[in-house]
Amino acid sequence: MIEVQNLHFAYSGDNYILEDVSFKVERGELCGVFGPNGAGKSTLFKCIIGFLKPKKGRVYVNGRDITEMPMEEVAKLIAYVPQEHRPPFPYLVKEMVLMGRTPHLGGIFGPKKRDIEKVIEAMEVVGITHLADKPYTELSGGQRQLVLLARALAQETGVMVLDEPTSALDFRNQLRIWETLKKLTKDGMSVVVSVHDPNHMLWFCDRVVVLHRGRIIASGKPSEVITEEILSTLYGNICKVKDLDGIKVVLPDTTF
């Protein structure tokens, strides 16, 4: 569904933020992009969704080169959930979710019955129907993140890209997000998500791409990629990888 080939990106000159980044996410896969702050994850995601144009390389979705496509066409293929979003106008939650239908709206006649149905369905999936008539600007950071996920669901694409979607959520809503993402992949969607918690990568992702200083240093199955050696390269000797009754977990190093 999505393929990144030899991606290079620099905001100016040859000061590359990303260098030679290549990976593929198949249909129905949940791919985690893992790495410390400043590794280039958010920049990579902006290149994938067409917001930034790479200096070299290509991004393909269903075999189509999105680096050569207008944004309105890319929006029919990829939905994006940013880390944070603060609109200047106090739109209602249901209006925010309806914005996800923008690529499918045509003419001056406004949303159709199907658009409204998709908005209701997306809010039900994420569990925010009770917030439908509340101003988005009055919600907590975690609630706003759930609204953004519902907006992306309403967009009805085959690929979803999420930049740290659980960072502002409590434990219950973190699990709700992961449960929703796993369900989407079972239904055939390809999902790319950046996360800081290595345990989330181990427990929920089908594939992991590890970024360090703008380059991929490892990729593959989480159980093979999330190792003490990789974690030490990224963060120093601050944690251990343990196997607890068949479940692999990352624990703090008690000597740290």
Side-chain angles (χ1 to χ4, degrees):
M1 288 291 290
I2 183 168
E3 184 173 3
V4 178
Q5 291 185 353
N6 307 114
L7 190 72
H8 293 69
F9 180 82
Y11 286 102
S12 62
D14 292 326
N15 298 316
Y16 287 108
I17 305 297
L18 299 169
E19 291 188 75
D20 198 24
V21 173
S22 298
F23 65 95
K24 183 186 293 186
V25 183
E26 301 291 350
R27 177 181 173 86
E29 269 193 334
L30 177 49
C31 176
V33 178
F34 182 65
N37 291 333
K41 300 187 299 296
S42 294
T43 299
L44 171 62
F45 283 10
K46 289 174 183 177
C47 289
I48 290 175
I49 65 172
F51 185 76
L52 295 175
K53 189 173 181 63
K55 197 161 186 179
K56 301 177 186 176
R58 290 287 185 267
V59 178
Y60 295 95
V61 175
N62 291 343
R64 302 178 64 185
D65 184 354
I66 69 149
T67 59
E68 302 297 335
M69 295 169 59
M71 284 298 295
E72 56 267 25
E73 289 299 314
V74 175
K76 294 178 181 179
L77 299 174
I78 306 175
Y80 177 57
V81 180
Q83 289 185 37
E84 180 63 279
H85 180 249
R86 293 177 178 272
F89 189 81
Y91 295 104
L92 300 181
V93 165
K94 61 187 178 185
E95 294 171 332
M96 284 292 298
V97 179
L98 181 59
M99 291 178 189
R101 299 299 301 168
T102 301
H104 306 283
L105 300 178
I108 59 174
F109 302 105
K112 298 180 176 63
K113 180 181 178 180
R114 176 178 174 80
D115 299 313
I116 301 302
E117 289 174 346
K118 284 297 176 181
V119 167
I120 295 172
E121 180 183 322
M123 290 193 296
E124 288 176 346
V125 168
V126 179
I128 58 169
T129 51
H130 63 292
L131 300 174
D133 293 306
K134 288 185 174 292
Y136 177 81
T137 50
E138 295 181 9
L139 302 182
S140 68
Q143 288 174 324
R144 288 198 300 270
Q145 199 68 15
L146 293 172
V147 174
L148 294 178
L149 176 58
R151 184 181 68 177
L153 284 173
Q155 199 169 326
E156 206 176 7
T157 61
V159 173
M160 186 180 294
V161 176
L162 306 97
D163 196 355
E164 297 183 37
T166 62
S167 60
L169 301 182
D170 60 33
F171 182 66
R172 179 174 180 273
N173 282 320
Q174 285 183 26
L175 295 183
R176 173 177 287 178
I177 290 286
W178 284 112
E179 180 184 16
T180 301
L181 297 182
K182 293 297 287 184
K183 182 180 183 301
L184 292 174
T185 57
K186 287 180 180 178
D187 292 339
M189 180 178 282
S190 299
V191 176
V192 186
V193 55
S194 72
V195 184
H196 280 299
D197 190 332
N199 285 314
H200 288 174
M201 295 289 177
L202 286 167
W203 300 338
F204 302 114
C205 293
D206 302 307
R207 179 188 301 272
V208 173
V209 173
V210 181
L211 271 183
H212 183 50
R213 298 175 181 172
R215 290 180 173 270
I216 293 178
I217 62 169
S219 65
K221 294 180 180 179
S223 60
E224 298 170 354
V225 171
I226 303 301
T227 64
E228 288 184 8
E229 181 181 2
I230 288 293
L231 293 174
S232 177
T233 298
L234 299 177
Y235 305 112
N237 298 318
I238 64 171
C239 56
K240 298 290 185 182
V241 180
K242 301 290 186 181
D243 191 305
L244 302 180
D245 295 327
I247 300 175
K248 200 171 183 180
V249 297
V250 178
L251 300 172
D253 187 347
T254 55
T255 63
F256 174 67

